[in-house]
Amino acid sequence: MSLSVIIPSRNAANLFVSAGAVRRSDPDADIIAMDDGLSAVPSGVIRIPCPKPFIFARNCNLGIEFAGGDVVLLNDDAALIDGSFSAMQRAAVEHPEFGVISAACATASYPQRPQGTGLRVVDRMVAFFAVLIPRRTIDVVGLLDERFVGYGHEDDDMCLRVRKAGLKIGVFDGCIVEHESLKSTFRSASDIWEQFQAGRSIFRMKWGADAELV
């Protein structure tokens, strides 16, 4: 199965760092930049112009549909520093009970911090800064829900749908990203808290007031 790394971005400096790290570790992977106003893209990176306004779920879905195979959704402020996404893909092939697998990150909240245990189960969800979604998962649960138009909760929603389909959420310690030194493009909006709360409201309307605790 092919592997495509989808990077939503409007910051060319971030993209060159993030895509460069992927190319060094996974030379055979397709890298797809979901262009939200990029001034340039690295050589060999597929560039797909995206409609305005920026919507993470919609832009990722456009990349997922273009890719056709297994995909990694990678924030442009996250850079691979150890292991490879192809190793994470192989772990998914060996363990088809997993529907979504995240890379580890030292600055992430628990449980996405590295624990040196290989592929491990997460009870509820993982944040989508660097996640593998096998094509088989997309075939079962569908794409990201584009009703989440602000910041956050499209990942909570996808993980809940994956678990309801009887699949597991995991973290793979053999793939580690750095997610601190690059400046975030999409989390720096002045109304980020309002966007987050709007996403939470949509999530609760869809799944119930207590769904975030499930």
Side-chain angles (χ1 to χ4, degrees):
M1 177 68 74
S2 63
L3 179 65
S4 297
V5 180
I6 297 168
I7 310 176
S9 183
R10 73 169 69 110
N11 185 325
N14 279 14
L15 179 64
F16 272 76
V17 173
S18 186
V22 174
R23 182 60 68 225
R24 289 189 294 273
S25 297
D26 296 286
D28 295 327
D30 289 328
I31 303 175
I32 303 172
M34 307 310 297
D35 183 357
D36 189 57
L38 289 164
S39 59
V41 299
S43 176
V45 171
I46 300 167
R47 183 180 198 166
I48 299 180
C50 292
K52 298 286 189 177
F54 172 81
I55 298 173
F56 179 83
R58 179 183 63 197
N59 289 14
C60 286
N61 285 344
L62 291 171
I64 290 169
E65 291 179 317
F66 177 87
D70 295 343
V71 298
V72 170
L73 305 183
L74 179 65
N75 286 8
D76 74 345
D77 60 345
L80 190 61
I81 58 173
D82 192 28
S84 66
F85 292 130
S86 54
M88 190 157 63
Q89 183 188 35
R90 289 193 295 272
V93 171
E94 294 169 2
H95 297 277
E97 68 272 20
F98 284 85
V100 168
I101 301 174
S102 172
C105 177
T107 56
S109 61
Y110 177 85
Q112 284 170 270
R113 290 179 179 271
Q115 298 181 20
T117 57
L119 179 59
R120 49 193 166 82
V121 177
V122 171
D123 289 337
R124 193 179 73 81
M125 64 86 65
V126 289
F128 276 20
F129 54 79
V131 294
L132 171 77
I133 308 178
R135 182 58 50 171
R136 63 174 184 267
T137 298
I138 297 162
D139 291 341
V140 170
V141 306
L143 299 168
L144 276 68
D145 189 336
E146 296 182 15
R147 284 176 287 182
F148 296 96
V149 298
Y151 174 74
H153 287 87
E154 66 284 310
D155 45 8
D156 297 80
D157 175 78
M158 185 70 164
C159 287
L160 182 54
R161 286 156 52 202
V162 166
R163 287 165 42 230
K164 284 182 175 292
L167 298 169
K168 297 177 180 178
I169 307 298
V171 174
F172 181 60
D173 289 320
C175 183
I176 300 177
V177 300
E178 192 273 334
H179 191 217
E180 185 176 42
S181 63
L182 295 175
K183 180 178 173 58
S184 172
T185 303
F186 303 112
R187 295 198 312 273
S188 58
S190 60
D191 64 342
I192 193 68
W193 179 244
E194 289 78 9
Q195 290 187 40
F196 182 81
Q197 290 299 324
R200 174 175 286 177
S201 296
I202 295 169
F203 185 82
R204 287 177 171 175
M205 283 189 291
K206 181 176 180 178
W207 296 110
D210 297 327
E212 290 171 296
L213 304 177
V214 174

